[in-house]
Amino acid sequence: DKGVGINHYAVKEGSRDFVVVTSPYILKNQRLDERIFVKAVDKVGNERLEIVEPINFKSDYNSKYH
């Protein structure tokens, strides 16, 4: 269909708000210890959300209970 395609991408790191980004985007949290949400929005307004799990997940279990 004409006019269909990606309008923009937005990224949300952890509890921060979504921000519209361009490529390349450098993550604010370089520790990679929180979820990253990537949203693609097409020109019609449809959205697709992907979640990237943290590779350096740190549980706060020890700090709360030990």
Side-chain angles (χ1 to χ4, degrees), residues 4-63:
V4 177
I6 298 297
N7 182 32
H8 67 273
Y9 293 94
V11 172
K12 177 181 187 313
E13 298 179 54
S15 61
R16 296 173 187 83
D17 292 331
F18 273 101
V19 293
V20 175
V21 298
T22 58
S23 180
Y25 174 73
I26 299 173
L27 296 170
K28 305 287 185 218
N29 178 359
Q30 292 291 304
R31 294 183 313 265
L32 305 176
D33 60 357
E34 56 191 2
R35 283 185 174 152
I36 302 165
F37 302 82
V38 180
K39 185 178 358 180
V41 182
D42 69 14
K43 294 177 182 173
V44 180
N46 299 312
E47 298 179 353
R48 177 171 177 139
L49 179 69
E50 292 294 325
I51 301 170
V52 180
E53 294 296 330
I55 60 174
N56 293 324
F57 178 72
K58 301 265 194 237
S59 171
D60 59 353
Y61 174 82
N62 286 335
S63 63

